[in-house]
Amino acid sequence: MSKKMVCFCQDLTDADIVRAIKEGYDHLETLKRFTGAFMGPCQGKMCAANVVKLYAETTGHPVEDLRIPTMRPPVEPISLGSLAPEKGGDDDA
Ligand code: FES
């Protein structure tokens, strides 16, 4: 039996997702929280379509009726330097 990667960030295969759904995590939001899909560094950009399609096939829900779980910020990567205070401020003592 071949293994198909569904979420590359979280190392989730199709078998992991199907097993979670059969264990009762049969809503996309609870599936997200249980498996960590959509929660890796890409915030689901690479796996959302895979997970939603597999979820639809496993549960019988029509894909068009499903909503991709909410992506939480930071959706776009930012540099560490952008978080550092600017030099020359009052805190430079
Ligand atoms: S591939 Fe799933 S969160 Fe990045």
Side-chain angles (χ1 to χ4, degrees):
M1 185 167 139
S2 67
K3 184 189 285 188
K4 296 177 189 156
M5 291 304 295
V6 176
C7 174
F8 298 97
C9 294
Q10 305 290 62
D11 273 347
L12 295 169
T13 65
D14 55 343
D16 296 323
I17 299 295
V18 170
R19 186 179 320 110
I21 292 169
K22 289 183 177 171
E23 286 180 9
Y25 298 94
D26 55 359
H27 186 277
L28 268 175
E29 290 290 345
T30 56
L31 184 65
K32 170 186 171 181
R33 283 161 179 75
F34 180 70
T35 62
F38 308 96
M39 298 171 81
C42 81
Q43 296 285 299
K45 287 180 184 171
M46 291 193 293
C47 66
N50 294 340
V51 175
V52 170
K53 182 175 182 284
L54 182 56
Y55 174 85
E57 289 171 0
T58 306
T59 62
H61 287 95
V63 159
E64 355 13 284
D65 293 349
L66 299 174
R67 189 179 64 82
I68 292 175
T70 305
M71 292 182 184
R72 306 284 181 215
V75 173
E76 296 295 327
I78 58 174
S79 70
L80 191 56
S82 68
L83 298 174
E86 291 185 31
K87 291 184 178 181
D90 293 333
D91 297 333
D92 284 351

